Amino acid sequence: MRTLISTAFVSLDGVVEAPGGESGYRNAGWTFKDVEFLPEAYEIKGREQKEAGAMLLGRVSYEAFSPVWPDMEDFADYREMPKYVVSTTLTDDDLVTDWGETTILRSVDEVAALKETEGGPVIVHGSATLGRALADAGLVDRYHLLVFPLLLGAGKRLFSDTDKDAQKLKLTEHEAYANGVQKMVFDVVR
């Protein structure tokens, strides 16, 4: 069974929306605009590329990343990695052709089936709506979080507000950086 890892830049109050500057959100670019850049705080991002066996995205994140990431050296390891996009509206004609093999999944149940296949970990980038649905369905195995010392108020949240039983997490890695960013890696306890 594959490990599903949700990775996110998150404000202290749980907002994950538009960390890199995506338009339409008043705090867009908050990870780099409002916090000093320290390369060591992003070490986990390079490690994720080396360790992942596949990438999983929601439609909105796919549409934001697919025109940009294929040509970025910072994301070179993702070029040939199998990618999966969860969408009820995308078609194969909507997929970019320069970013390796991409498969459209239509439901969280299809993600559960993907987890049953052979291969390395499946990494979920961005994809706030998908991430909440995966967590609510009990499919997330690990969280890689870079928590920024900001309170953003409004915006898409990392976790849903669904009324459910408590979910225990085990902190497996933690580091605080001089710019106030904290790396926190949690395994979901089953």
Side-chain angles (χ1 to χ4, degrees):
M1 185 163 176
R2 299 174 95 160
T3 301
L4 196 143
I5 301 169
S6 175
T7 182
F9 295 150
V10 60
S11 68
L12 190 59
D13 58 347
V15 175
V16 294
E17 187 169 3
E22 301 81 354
S23 64
Y25 177 62
R26 70 181 180 93
N27 288 317
W30 51 269
T31 56
F32 303 108
K33 179 175 64 176
D34 297 325
V35 177
E36 176 190 1
F37 178 77
L38 293 178
E40 60 270 23
Y42 298 91
E43 170 275 334
I44 194 166
K45 295 293 151 196
R47 189 172 10 136
E48 288 169 350
Q49 287 186 67
K50 299 291 184 205
E51 295 174 356
M55 185 190 310
L56 179 67
L57 299 165
R59 179 193 53 81
V60 172
S61 291
Y62 177 80
E63 289 176 339
F65 298 159
S66 64
V68 180
W69 281 22
D71 295 327
M72 292 181 70
E73 280 306 310
D74 287 346
F75 302 110
D77 290 322
Y78 287 138
R79 284 187 192 129
E80 298 306 318
M81 182 180 296
K83 284 165 256 343
Y84 298 87
V85 182
V86 180
S87 173
T88 58
T89 59
L90 285 180
T91 67
D92 287 337
D93 291 338
D94 296 318
L95 302 177
V96 299
T97 59
D98 62 343
W99 205 21
E101 175 189 348
T102 304
T103 304
I104 298 172
L105 304 178
R106 297 295 181 195
S107 68
V108 170
D109 290 338
E110 289 187 26
V111 175
L114 171 64
K115 281 187 62 172
E116 298 295 328
T117 63
E118 294 294 320
V122 177
I123 191 96
V124 182
H125 280 284
S127 307
T129 302
L130 174 62
R132 289 190 300 270
L134 295 171
D136 286 350
L139 295 176
V140 176
D141 300 299
R142 181 174 300 136
Y143 291 95
H144 289 183
L145 306 177
L146 286 179
V147 181
F148 286 72
L150 298 168
L151 300 174
L152 298 176
K156 292 179 184 174
R157 305 285 170 171
L158 178 62
F159 298 105
S160 77
D161 60 2
T162 302
D163 186 13
K164 58 186 173 192
D165 292 338
Q167 175 68 68
K168 185 169 174 53
L169 304 174
K170 179 182 178 188
L171 183 66
T172 61
E173 190 177 338
H174 176 266
E175 192 162 349
Y177 302 96
N179 62 357
V181 171
Q182 293 185 53
K183 173 179 62 182
M184 298 165 55
V185 175
F186 292 98
D187 283 342
V188 175
V189 177
R190 304 233 191 263

